[in-house]
Amino acid sequence: MGASFGSSNGAASGKDPSAPIPERCEVCKLSENDDKMLICDGCNRGYHMYCLRPRLTTIPTNDWYCDVCILGAGADFGFEDGAEHTLESFKNKNDKFKRSFFASYYDDSASRRRNGPLMPGNVPEEKVEEEFWRLVASPFEDVEVEYGADLHSAQHGSGFPTIERDPTDPYSVHPWNLNVLPFQPRSLFNHIKQDISGMKTPWIYVGMCFSTFCWHNEDHYTYSVNYMHWGETKTWYGVPGRHATQFEDAMRAAVPDLFKDQPDLLFQLVTMLSPGALVARNVDVVSCDQRAGEFVITFPQSYHAGFNQGFNFNEAVNFATSDWMPFDVPSVMRYQHYERNPVFSHDELVMSMCESDPSFLRQKWFQDAILEMAHREKADRARVRSLWPRGVGEAAWDKVEEGDVDLPDEIKQQCYVCKAFSFLSAVVCSCSSNYISCLLHAETACKCVGEQKILKKRYTDRDLQDIIDRFGSGPSAGSIDDDDEQLYTSPLAPTFAHSRLDVSDAVEDSSAEAT
């Protein structure tokens, strides 16, 4: 089924021929060029093909979804929606599938002939793993399973006690409780103002045999922690952060046509390549089997993937400590390069930390971060001022008249071209007061001359220079237009840690406290 597309005579082709053409483009807000209006197959909103970033020049042959639908709750791009289940009905589905697929292991007589350790239905983990990768590699065999993934714990309930639901339970405030862990005293998430589902609030995962999480690394290259409450084994594979570039090169070499059509394919969590194929391309790969009562922690920038060996129940959340900070700028540059939405503003986080707790300024890792930010911002402002012979107008951020006051603050800070958050400063133009550009795209967001543009700033040049004078010359920032893939490579990092926590430990046991 092809994408829905507007036409000048008021008709629409695609999934729903009777669907009306949207009144306006969601990007430029103009009601014109119906024949260039692409209609989202999820929400029926309209988008001019030339307004999209990156622009489209041909009509997609498959269903097409806008960023809002792809990024919204429940929109698992690359996967179809499954049926609604209770835990009991999902367990029954898993049991029926696994019994059918591994029928010989459920045969009592066959089990008895093995004389030993295997009881009926006890399928060896190595056999499940072997079959999983056989299916991934096979172009002739289709297997359909379901996965209860990315379920918001606030809606469906957490497997851990919460202070709201269980105020007298000591584990409701335990530092290894995933509702608590992201907000431990040393966690940098304490300084991110917005509530970020899945990063600061745990998500729930209910797996069945062969349900898969494809290769990816975490948003902003943060840490993640995953706990299995109960169930069958979850098998993990990981690539250390130091091999992230080699991993990406190996994926592009394996499926070049897919990456040619979708350069941001690795953001979509739909691609699997076997560990053997990666090792053959000189990529380090490690693995572990997670069982009930065990945590798996993934480290910054490490790619990871895996599958479930059967019915299980996991919970996961992200966190960030001071050693993560050097990874965030490369992650933000990567978002810009692929024109993907970041989750939060790196610069806003740095300034929020500086203003809420001046003690950070005495710590070397934070001095490096704020110094990098000041140098980068100073260089970008100098570039913008050099773009037009007569320069560009300048004003304090709050002195520039806004467009649509009902737009969310996040949208008001996102670059129209690359979607990066522009917290320290941005460029606005009289031709479109609803949109801004980051300093790297001041000249490409529109064709207007500098006299029509305003560089609006939250912090003055003097503020930036004060930071530089206080903390030294510091590092120089790269450009997102560099061809060097090392741009996205951060300091060395391991892949993941695998540990078991005895939940009978006393809450006071310092060995169980999170950093």
Side-chain angles (χ1 to χ4, degrees):
M1 184 67 70
S4 299
F5 198 67
S7 62
S8 58
N9 62 8
S13 62
K15 183 171 64 176
D16 184 4
S18 64
I21 296 175
E23 294 182 357
R24 62 180 185 175
C25 169
E26 293 296 318
V27 177
C28 68
K29 307 301 182 184
L30 298 179
S31 302
E32 61 184 22
N33 296 333
D34 286 350
D35 59 324
K36 301 296 184 182
M37 189 84 75
L38 193 61
I39 303 173
C40 173
D41 285 293
C43 64
N44 288 327
R45 293 187 177 94
Y47 296 81
H48 288 130
M49 294 171 64
Y50 51 78
C51 286
L52 296 171
R53 292 292 184 272
R55 295 178 175 86
L56 292 182
T57 56
T58 58
I59 304 171
T61 56
N62 298 317
D63 287 354
W64 179 82
Y65 297 93
C66 67
D67 283 350
V68 174
C69 288
I70 292 173
L71 297 172
D76 295 320
F77 184 62
F79 295 85
E80 296 180 358
D81 289 337
E84 291 189 7
H85 289 280
T86 63
L87 285 175
E88 181 180 10
S89 68
F90 198 64
K91 179 181 185 303
N92 291 338
K93 180 180 180 67
N94 169 81
D95 293 349
K96 181 179 180 181
F97 171 84
K98 198 168 184 180
R99 180 180 290 274
S100 173
F101 197 94
F102 297 99
S104 64
Y105 291 90
Y106 288 82
D107 185 301
D108 287 344
S109 61
S111 184
R112 284 195 297 271
R113 286 198 300 272
R114 292 190 186 95
N115 293 323
L118 296 177
M119 297 296 291
N122 189 1
V123 187
E125 291 178 351
E126 59 270 20
K127 180 62 177 177
V128 180
E129 183 177 28
E130 175 187 326
E131 283 297 299
F132 173 80
W133 288 111
R134 182 186 67 81
L135 291 170
V136 169
S138 173
F140 307 110
E141 189 171 356
D142 292 331
V143 173
E144 183 176 297
V145 297
E146 293 183 276
Y147 194 7
D150 299 343
L151 305 175
H152 200 308
S153 61
Q155 178 181 355
H156 299 277
S158 171
F160 293 93
T162 63
I163 194 68
E164 296 83 8
R165 189 182 65 213
D166 310 285
T168 62
D169 190 324
Y171 285 99
S172 66
V173 294
H174 193 284
W176 278 99
N177 181 328
L178 297 196
N179 296 285
V180 177
L181 189 148
F183 306 103
Q184 289 300 293
R186 296 184 183 180
S187 172
L188 305 191
F189 280 4
N190 289 308
H191 303 278
I192 296 177
K193 297 174 182 178
Q194 61 266 47
D195 180 24
I196 307 171
S197 175
M199 290 194 77
K200 295 169 66 176
T201 304
W203 275 354
I204 301 298
Y205 299 84
V206 185
M208 67 171 285
C209 184
F210 293 154
S211 57
T212 306
F213 52 106
C214 295
W215 286 110
H216 69 287
N217 45 29
E218 298 297 311
D219 289 330
H220 288 261
Y221 295 158
T222 55
Y223 285 91
S224 75
V225 54
N226 185 297
Y227 179 74
M228 181 181 287
H229 290 284
W230 46 257
E232 297 184 71
T233 299
K234 183 188 293 283
T235 298
W236 293 72
Y237 306 93
V239 172
R242 66 178 183 274
H243 272 210
T245 297
Q246 292 97 311
F247 169 86
E248 292 164 5
D249 289 343
M251 294 293 282
R252 292 188 187 98
V255 284
D257 291 340
L258 288 179
F259 278 93
K260 181 180 179 181
D261 293 338
Q262 302 176 79
D264 62 349
L265 186 63
L266 287 173
F267 285 95
Q268 299 175 22
L269 280 73
V270 294
T271 311
M272 287 296 279
L273 191 64
S274 73
L278 292 170
V279 171
R281 292 173 168 84
N282 299 314
V283 178
D284 284 353
V285 183
V286 297
S287 67
C288 76
D289 289 320
Q290 180 190 20
R291 301 180 176 87
E294 294 182 343
F295 291 90
V296 169
I297 297 174
T298 67
F299 282 73
Q301 204 180 3
S302 63
Y303 277 95
H304 45 282
F307 70 96
N308 298 294
Q309 302 238 358
F311 184 54
N312 57 27
F313 184 92
N314 286 56
E315 193 162 350
V317 78
N318 293 88
F319 65 96
T321 51
S322 59
D323 63 326
W324 157 81
M325 182 64 85
F327 291 87
D328 196 29
V329 171
S331 79
V332 171
M333 289 181 174
R334 186 168 178 252
Y335 284 128
Q336 286 184 279
H337 182 79
Y338 290 105
E339 300 179 0
R340 300 287 300 194
N341 282 294
V343 180
F344 57 84
S345 167
H346 169 85
D347 294 338
E348 184 176 9
L349 169 63
V350 171
M351 294 309 299
S352 175
M353 294 171 64
C354 176
E355 294 167 0
S356 64
D357 187 355
S359 68
F360 282 120
L361 292 171
R362 298 194 296 270
Q363 302 177 43
K364 181 63 167 60
W365 64 269
F366 186 78
Q367 293 173 6
D368 291 342
I370 196 170
L371 194 55
E372 181 281 328
M373 181 195 73
H375 274 286
R376 168 169 42 85
E377 176 69 11
K378 184 180 178 182
D380 289 345
R381 290 184 185 184
R383 193 191 76 87
V384 169
R385 290 166 178 146
S386 69
L387 289 173
W388 297 278
R390 296 186 180 181
V392 62
E394 300 191 30
W397 188 287
D398 57 2
K399 300 299 182 182
V400 179
E401 184 178 350
E402 294 183 344
D404 187 349
V405 295
D406 294 327
L407 286 174
D409 288 341
E410 291 81 2
I411 298 298
K412 295 176 185 177
Q413 295 179 23
Q414 279 193 278
C415 175
Y416 169 67
V417 178
C418 70
K419 303 180 182 178
F421 285 119
S422 298
F423 176 75
L424 299 176
S425 62
V427 174
V428 295
C429 184
S430 58
C431 73
S432 181
S433 58
N434 285 336
Y435 299 98
I436 68 168
S437 70
C438 70
L439 304 194
L440 293 176
H441 295 106
E443 73 276 32
T444 57
C446 67
K447 300 300 182 182
C448 299
V449 296
E451 292 95 312
Q452 292 179 254
K453 299 176 185 286
I454 297 176
L455 171 62
K456 61 176 186 176
K457 303 168 289 186
R458 276 198 171 89
Y459 299 90
T460 66
D461 291 359
R462 181 68 258 173
D463 294 331
L464 300 177
Q465 191 60 48
D466 286 345
I467 292 172
I468 294 171
D469 292 343
R470 180 173 180 180
F471 299 113
S473 57
S476 59
S479 164
I480 66 166
D481 296 322
D482 290 345
D483 291 328
D484 186 1
E485 285 291 333
Q486 292 298 320
L487 172 66
Y488 309 125
T489 302
S490 298
L492 298 184
T495 310
F496 48 66
H498 178 215
S499 64
R500 183 180 186 87
L501 176 67
D502 184 351
V503 295
S504 65
D505 290 345
V507 176
E508 296 80 9
D509 184 357
S510 60
S511 66
E513 291 184 357
T515 301

